[in-house]
Amino acid sequence: MNEGDRVRFIVTNKLPEATTVHWHGLEVPLNMDGVPFISQPLIEPGQTFVYEYTVHQNGTFFYHCHMAMQEMMGMIGLFIIHPKQPYSPRVDKDFGLILQGWALLPNNPIPNSLAMEFNWLTINGKAGPATTPMIVKQGERVRLRIINLGMDHHPMHIHGNQFYVTGTEGGRAPESTWFPGNTVIVGVAQARDVEFDAIYAGHWMFHCHLPHHMMNQMLSMVGPMTQAGRGVQTGKGMEEGMGVIRQGHALSEDLAPGLGRGMGDSTEKERNTTNLAGPSPHLQQNTLSETNKKRVPGYPQDMFMIMDEEVAKPETYGLPPRWTASMMGMMTLVRVLPPDVYEEVQRRTREGIAEPPTGQPVQSPHKH
């Protein structure tokens, strides 16, 4: 929508419980603010409530339910307001990214919204490698609009490029306040706009740089794992799966490290385990000798999966084989493509052609 528009949202509640909608960062009349009992009555199941107001701001905002459990279940969306006068410099590609965290028990598709430990970190509801790469033609100017409505702050980092932070959840920042970088912390309930010129061709990772968020909390609750001895194992309760210890000695035989990270001479005892219903076809065996395993204390043996075929989509065309092995957790790609490859990906996107990666290289003119 555009700055100055009069907007109307007709919200019909088809949930089995009451709800409301809050317009995060927007300056609206109190009775449109979406806070139960304080600014409006609850929207009970089957009821309809009309939100109507004039938007006089511009920038990256978002909306979300103001009922805590529903918010934790993902009731959130971007709310983009374009300015009366276009921003300068003009961008060619404009992407919206929503960061969230979830607590998932093994083989359970329903998140635990009461949990205080989170093991599944997503961008737009997907974790790498299932996230959709952002496709950019070399030479274009790019804007990433990033919002965070989870329980953790996220230092979002881009490879191979430098950007400027140009906006927050309060709107567009004056150009005199822009600052360069390649990592920006997006705090809880915050938005950050970053812009850059995509001059270097390549498949550039964009991800949270908290190590556990890069690996979905070390895959402690989902995906293939290994274990050593009698240590903490997968498939138990939430706290045990997260490695939370309430009593006992952290180095005891029962509680010593065992989440696929055997230490020292315990590594030869490791064996493949999984919380999947059967053997995982994606589990990749490492090629380290027993001697070399011992030289890498804590090395997470076998903790990567190749899923090229499972997540193939038009936007993954041309990625090298086994690219998915490096994509876990809160990760995605910004693919800066030469014009010919860009046009081919666009054609495949229009026609819905999805194939596993072919390994066609995309060369970058600079070196690191």
Side-chain angles (χ1 to χ4, degrees):
M1 64 196 64
N2 298 314
E3 180 182 2
D5 283 351
R6 183 75 177 175
V7 298
R8 178 185 298 131
F9 299 94
I10 302 173
V11 179
T12 298
N13 183 9
K14 296 185 179 181
L15 297 171
E17 58 194 45
T19 191
T20 63
V21 180
H22 171 63
W23 315 95
H24 194 102
L26 292 181
E27 298 168 0
V28 299
L30 178 62
N31 62 347
M32 297 287 106
D33 194 46
V35 180
F37 306 112
I38 293 178
S39 63
Q40 70 166 87
L42 288 168
I43 309 174
E44 299 288 352
Q47 290 184 347
T48 295
F49 188 89
V50 177
Y51 295 92
E52 184 171 341
Y53 47 85
T54 300
V55 292
H56 63 270
Q57 301 158 268
N58 64 75
T60 302
F61 306 95
F62 50 103
Y63 63 90
H64 58 84
C65 172
H66 221 277
M67 310 287 282
M69 293 300 104
Q70 295 171 12
E71 181 179 315
M72 290 298 296
M73 291 293 285
M75 292 182 65
I76 176 177
L78 284 158
F79 196 117
I80 307 301
I81 306 175
H82 298 288
K84 292 180 179 179
Q85 298 297 323
Y87 295 145
S88 180
R90 175 183 176 274
V91 298
D92 303 289
K93 291 292 190 301
D94 199 338
F95 298 98
L97 306 172
I98 299 176
L99 312 180
Q100 291 172 281
W102 316 87
L104 290 170
L105 292 166
N107 300 316
N108 191 335
I110 307 300
N112 180 355
S113 58
L114 293 173
M116 293 300 292
E117 300 284 347
F118 300 88
N119 65 332
W120 201 249
L121 292 303
T122 62
I123 298 175
N124 290 345
K126 299 285 187 179
T131 49
T132 300
M134 292 171 277
I135 305 301
V136 177
K137 182 163 64 175
Q138 189 174 8
E140 289 185 322
R141 185 170 178 83
V142 181
R143 177 186 298 125
L144 306 180
R145 303 176 187 261
I146 315 158
I147 68 172
N148 176 13
L149 200 63
M151 287 288 286
D152 291 305
H153 303 325
H154 300 294
M156 299 303 294
H157 171 65
I158 192 168
H159 289 208
N161 294 271
Q162 310 299 323
F163 53 58
Y164 280 89
V165 179
T166 61
T168 73
E169 70 281 358
R172 182 77 164 182
E175 187 171 355
S176 60
T177 67
W178 296 0
F179 60 92
N182 50 62
T183 304
V184 60
I185 294 180
V186 186
V188 174
Q190 289 185 338
R192 291 292 181 268
D193 292 351
V194 301
E195 298 180 19
F196 63 97
D197 293 316
I199 58 178
Y200 303 122
H203 315 302
W204 304 113
M205 293 191 75
F206 183 67
H207 61 91
C208 176
H209 221 296
L210 290 176
H212 280 202
H213 293 190
M214 295 167 63
M215 306 174 74
N216 269 338
Q217 305 292 35
M218 309 299 282
L219 282 75
S220 61
M221 292 296 288
V222 286
M225 293 181 57
T226 60
Q227 68 181 55
R230 294 169 55 191
V232 183
Q233 300 173 16
T234 183
K236 294 188 176 181
M238 175 63 74
E239 290 189 352
E240 292 170 298
M242 293 293 187
V244 177
I245 297 175
R246 294 297 183 190
Q247 59 184 359
H249 195 286
L251 297 180
S252 68
E253 185 177 4
D254 288 329
L255 298 176
L259 289 172
R261 296 179 286 282
M263 303 296 180
D265 62 1
S266 69
T267 52
E268 74 271 9
K269 301 176 184 177
E270 291 192 344
R271 59 184 176 83
N272 293 332
T273 66
T274 178
N275 56 34
L276 301 176
S280 171
H282 311 295
L283 186 62
Q284 300 300 306
Q285 303 295 328
N286 71 75
T287 57
L288 293 179
S289 67
E290 293 300 320
T291 300
N292 285 335
K293 287 180 185 178
K294 295 179 181 180
R295 295 172 63 183
V296 191
Y299 185 85
Q301 316 293 345
D302 302 317
M303 203 176 68
F304 66 95
M305 292 189 290
I306 295 172
M307 302 181 65
D308 295 10
E309 293 187 12
E310 285 76 9
V311 301
K313 51 179 70 78
E315 293 85 355
T316 62
Y317 169 77
L319 286 170
R322 299 191 173 192
W323 69 275
T324 51
S326 291
M327 298 289 292
M328 296 172 282
M330 192 171 276
M331 291 184 173
T332 189
L333 292 171
V334 178
R335 300 190 63 198
V336 180
L337 304 176
D340 56 338
V341 182
Y342 173 84
E343 293 301 332
E344 177 61 17
V345 172
Q346 294 296 83
R347 182 187 71 82
R348 289 168 175 264
T349 301
R350 289 192 300 270
E351 299 178 10
I353 302 173
E355 298 175 357
T358 60
Q360 295 185 8
V362 176
Q363 299 296 330
S364 174
H366 76 318
K367 297 180 180 179
H368 293 278

